[in-house]
Every structure is written in structure tokens, then in C-alpha cells.
Amino acid sequence: MVKIIALTDYKNRFGSKHFDHPYRSGMDKALLTTLFLNSGFEIEFTQFTELINRKDIPKNCYYLYTSSEDIHYRYKNFIEDCILFLQQSGCKVIPGYDYMRANNNKVFMELLRKSTGNRELQTIVSEVFGTYEEAMSVLLRLQFPVVIKTSEGATGRGVFKAENEREFKKKVKKVSNSFSLFYHFKEFIRVNIHKGYIRESDYRNKFIVQNMIKGLHNDWKVYFFGDKYYIFYRPVFKHRGFRASGGGYDNYFYGEEAKAEPGLLSFAEDVVRCFKVPNASIDIAWDGTRFHLIEIQFLYFGTAGIPYSGGYFTKDNSDWKFVENKLSIEEVYARSIELFINNNS
């Protein structure tokens, strides 16, 4: 029997689940145990520290893991260390460390997108910066309006539009602000003591600048889980400006009601083929001519589209069909892992 070790956080949570009980407790581990066992997999849940601090770490198994959205992502940073260590030690982690690094890290997500070399995934031109000063160096070649994004954040938070140079400077200072009075004072002293010293920037939070796709009235969120695709339509509401995400799940349209443009699911399928993952959450826009990949996450993303949907899309030969079947998040997740392991073993 194939062995899986699923790594839980310090609260003993695994994964994310909409409508979980208790609140923010993650997936039902007992149900996952039963589902995996029925598919021929033995699964063992253990916390990161319980595994990492062992003298001998098993390598003849697969490792699943959760991420974290803790304040300032401090625990998530610890999880990254653990997953990188396991991968460097020869353990089979699902998904690979790169995808963990991209979780709630839009700067690395953009670099990961770029690393595919697939131009269809790069129709949105993205530039990443580590400081305000770096962004000012490209100011003269920007074509406004542009979109500015913090590296962290979800549901449309940390996403801004700049119509001109003045707005650009203001918004970039806002997203990159790392001011600390104590260190600002220390830098002031260094400048006055050491001739030629260049002070540290007060704006060192990384961020992204992208060209803006004009005239969008909506986007689509597509969940990929092995052989199942869940889709929902997210309209742009006036009170949210140009952002479709964060509009409230009760205001979206799911499954066959999602008003999907022809080719949307095939585009989503092409996107996930560029990455070696069992599941993904994909934001896609249509400008009337072509599809655009807005963002993609590979683990620990919102799963509300599953309980809100009456079914999912799957591919039958070359045709997409809708299957009316309301499944639990645990069922969908377990099946995606089963397929991934069987297809990559």
C-alpha cells in the first residue's frame, strides 16, 4: 500500500475548506483517511515539527502539506523552510517547493509564470520590484494606466490602479512602505558619519506592476482538481472599481451558469499543463479576443466554488461535459492526489 504523510500546522489543521467546522479548522482528516484508504493509500497526519525534528525521515512515501495565512506569514515562512528541506533531502513532496514559494507570493508567482516560457501565459506584462526606487527607474517607459499589486494579499486586497505618473508614485509608496522610525534614524546617522554611504530605502516591500486590460466586466475563477474543473463567473461591481475578486460568493455564477466563453476550459487546461501540480486555482480574463491568465495558486486557496457548485466539468475525449454531482472538498482533493501519484509514479 502506498504511504502518504500529510503535514499539519501547529493547530493540527490540514488544507483549507469553505464551511469547515469548527471555523478555520481545515479539511476533515478522518474523512480524508477513509477516502485515501478506499483508493489504496495509507495516510498518516503529523505536524511539521514532529517530522522535521526526527533523526530519520522516511523517503519511501509521499508528502502532502498545508500552507498558512497567518499574520505577516511568519509561520508560512517556517513551512517553506520545512518543505525545501524535505525536497532537498530527496523526499517526494506534493506539490514541489516552487509551488509552495508561490503561495500568497505574487512576485514569485510571476517569476514562476515567466519560467514556463509559454507566451500564452504571459499576455499580461508583469514587472517585479523590491523597492520604490527600483520602480522609479522604469517610470519613463510605463504606459498608463497600470495595475500595482502587493506581493501578499487575496480577494482583491492590495491591488491598485494608477492612471498617471503622480498616482503611480503615490500607490507604489503605499504598497512598498516599510518605514521604521528606529531604523530610519539609524540610517540618518550613518549618512552623516560615513561619506558616500547610500541609505537603505524606507520602501522595501516587494510588489508587481502590470499593464491593465481595459474594459473587463468580469473574470472567471477555475479550480483544477485532477480530472475535475470547477468554474465560476465573477462580475466587476462598481463599488470595487476594476476588481472582480472579493465580490462575495453569493454574487457569483457557478457551473453551467458561469457564462463561460468558448475555449475557456481548454485555456485553463493548457495553463495547468505547464505546471506539475495536482490542483490549482486559476483567475482568467477575456478581452473579447484572447484569454489572459491573471493569477494562479497551487495550494491552500479558497475552495468555496466547490460547495457552491452543483457539479463540475470534465473532458470526455475532446469535448467538455458538465457532471451534476455535488462532492465534498475532501472527495475532490483525495481524487486529485490519487490521479497525480498514479500518473507520476
Side-chain angles (χ1 to χ4, degrees), residues 267-301:
F267 177 78
E269 182 184 42
D270 289 341
V271 170
V272 296
R273 281 175 177 167
C274 295
F275 306 101
K276 193 174 182 180
V277 292
N279 29 66
S281 173
I282 315 162
D283 296 351
I284 300 172
W286 168 255
D287 66 5
T289 302
R290 68 191 306 182
F291 293 107
H292 302 274
L293 172 62
I294 301 176
E295 292 181 5
I296 184 167
Q297 293 287 332
F298 305 99
L299 74 157
Y300 208 72
F301 47 78

Side-chain angles (χ1 to χ4, degrees), residues 83-102:
I83 298 306
L84 181 57
F85 164 73
L86 290 172
Q87 184 168 295
Q88 292 291 86
S89 300
C91 298
K92 293 175 283 190
V93 295
I94 301 175
Y97 170 75
D98 289 356
Y99 305 109
M100 172 62 195
R101 179 69 181 170

Side-chain angles (χ1 to χ4, degrees), residues 4 32-41 43 64 333-334 337:
I4 294 173
L32 283 175
T33 300
T34 299
L35 290 168
F36 277 109
L37 188 61
N38 290 341
S39 298
F41 295 89
I43 187 167
L64 304 178
Y333 175 77
I337 299 300

Side-chain angles (χ1 to χ4, degrees), residues 164-227:
N164 51 52
E165 181 178 317
R166 180 183 62 81
E167 285 189 2
F168 181 75
K169 291 179 178 179
K170 181 180 178 181
K171 299 292 174 57
V172 167
K173 279 191 173 182
K174 181 175 182 177
V175 302
S176 64
N177 182 29
S178 59
F179 179 80
S180 162
L181 182 60
F182 174 75
Y183 288 107
H184 183 84
F185 182 68
K186 286 190 69 173
E187 288 298 294
F188 175 79
I189 294 174
R190 286 169 174 162
V191 167
N192 285 276
I193 292 178
H194 305 287
K195 184 178 180 180
Y197 174 74
I198 300 174
R199 58 166 296 138
E200 296 283 354
S201 172
D202 287 326
Y203 304 94
R204 300 188 321 280
N205 283 322
K206 60 187 178 182
F207 58 95
I208 304 153
V209 177
Q210 298 176 326
N211 66 302
M212 185 170 184
I213 307 170
K214 299 179 182 178
L216 294 182
H217 302 292
N218 71 279
D219 70 11
W220 288 271
K221 170 78 79 175
V222 178
Y223 296 152
F224 160 70
F225 280 87
D227 56 354

Side-chain angles (χ1 to χ4, degrees), residues 12-22 25-36 43 45 328-331 333-334:
N12 205 30
R13 298 175 300 185
F14 180 82
S16 60
K17 178 182 179 179
H18 205 72
F19 299 132
D20 51 358
H21 300 286
S25 58
M27 295 188 199
D28 184 328
K29 297 191 292 295
L31 178 55
L32 283 175
T33 300
T34 299
L35 290 168
F36 277 109
I43 187 167
F45 291 92
S328 69
I329 293 169
E330 288 85 355
E331 288 175 293
Y333 175 77

Side-chain angles (χ1 to χ4, degrees), residues 228-270:
K228 298 175 180 63
Y229 288 76
Y230 288 83
I231 178 172
F232 51 101
Y233 173 102
R234 306 189 299 185
V236 174
F237 297 103
K238 287 185 178 180
H239 71 280
R240 293 192 57 76
F242 63 98
R243 297 179 292 269
S245 62
Y249 289 109
D250 291 331
N251 298 313
Y252 299 154
F253 301 89
Y254 300 87
E256 290 187 300
E257 306 299 321
K259 310 175 186 179
E261 284 288 335
L264 176 65
L265 287 166
S266 294
F267 177 78
E269 182 184 42
D270 289 341

Side-chain angles (χ1 to χ4, degrees), residues 95-119:
Y97 170 75
D98 289 356
Y99 305 109
M100 172 62 195
R101 179 69 181 170
N103 178 232
N104 282 317
N105 181 349
K106 295 177 185 177
V107 163
F108 189 72
M109 184 195 74
E110 291 302 325
L111 297 176
L112 192 60
R113 178 210 302 252
K114 188 175 181 180
S115 73
T116 67
N118 188 329
R119 298 198 174 194

